[in-house]
Amino acid sequence: MSPYLAKAMNGLSSPVRIFIILVILIGFHLLVILVRRISNKWMSSQFSAKLSKSRTIGSLTTSALVFLLYFSAFGIILSEFGVSIKAYLASASIMGLAIGFGSQGLVQDVVNGLTVVFSGLFDVGDMVEISGQTGTVKAFGMRFTVIKNAFGAEVSIPNRTITNVVKYSRGYICGF
């Protein structure tokens, strides 16, 4: 919590302080809703639909911003109950490290996803063969790549399993 807000709230009764904290949290939540709506609107626009990299980066940025807002709000709540911000950040760092070790598959998906995005291996709409599956790329995210095969089935491929990518030129394979 900012020092100015903490000074202003020192003389207030406990119910009033809790009410102010709740108002701040509702404000944070409304800000999160606004960020997600703006992000969804931007990502669904025709300009953005043509740029799959920008959609992926926009989605990643939105997720990071939402996490930061909720993390800050939770820190404000804890500081109101007397928990030191330094202790909060230290424990969050340790928990982040433990969660990082526990979720190595997720981390591999995200790292491979970022590698594919920035290297430009394929884009949405390309005909590809990935992990033995051939089809048209329908969606690409940080964890999964979704392709639609010749039978119309959507196949979700974890990004950590992407080892070889065959990108077919337009016109060589028909029927997708």
Side-chain angles (χ1 to χ4, degrees):
M1 188 178 320
S2 77
Y4 301 111
L5 186 58
K7 269 187 184 178
M9 289 180 60
N10 273 341
L12 301 175
S13 66
S14 188
V16 173
R17 289 170 64 140
I18 291 172
F19 176 75
I20 291 172
I21 296 284
L22 286 174
V23 168
I24 290 171
L25 293 177
I26 290 170
F28 272 121
H29 187 69
L30 291 174
L31 187 58
V32 165
I33 291 171
L34 179 67
V35 165
R36 286 194 175 162
R37 283 191 181 174
I38 290 171
S39 174
N40 288 340
K41 189 111 171 151
W42 180 75
M43 285 193 278
S44 65
S45 70
Q46 285 190 351
F47 173 73
S48 177
K50 294 178 183 176
L51 304 172
S52 62
K53 282 184 195 176
S54 65
R55 291 181 70 193
T56 303
I57 292 170
S59 175
L60 182 64
T61 304
T62 302
S63 296
L65 184 59
V66 167
F67 173 78
L68 182 66
L69 288 172
Y70 280 127
F71 185 78
S72 301
F74 193 66
I76 290 173
I77 291 172
L78 289 179
S79 69
E80 182 59 29
F81 289 113
V83 175
S84 168
I85 294 295
K86 290 179 185 177
Y88 173 60
L89 292 175
S91 61
S93 298
I94 292 170
M95 285 180 14
L97 187 62
I99 291 170
F101 280 124
S103 60
Q104 289 179 356
L106 172 76
V107 172
Q108 282 180 320
D109 284 339
V110 171
V111 169
N112 282 359
L114 288 172
T115 302
V116 171
V117 166
F118 290 117
S119 65
L121 289 177
F122 53 83
D123 290 318
V124 174
D126 286 347
M127 174 67 70
V128 295
E129 182 179 338
I130 302 171
S131 301
Q133 299 287 330
T134 303
T136 304
V137 177
K138 289 297 176 189
F140 177 76
M142 288 293 106
R143 294 217 45 223
F144 295 99
T145 298
V146 179
I147 63 173
K148 188 172 184 178
N149 66 16
F151 302 108
E154 289 189 357
V155 180
S156 297
I157 302 168
N159 289 340
R160 69 176 163 262
T161 63
I162 297 175
T163 54
N164 294 327
V165 175
V166 178
K167 182 176 172 183
Y168 295 103
S169 300
R170 303 230 185 261
Y172 284 103
I173 295 182
C174 305
F176 286 103

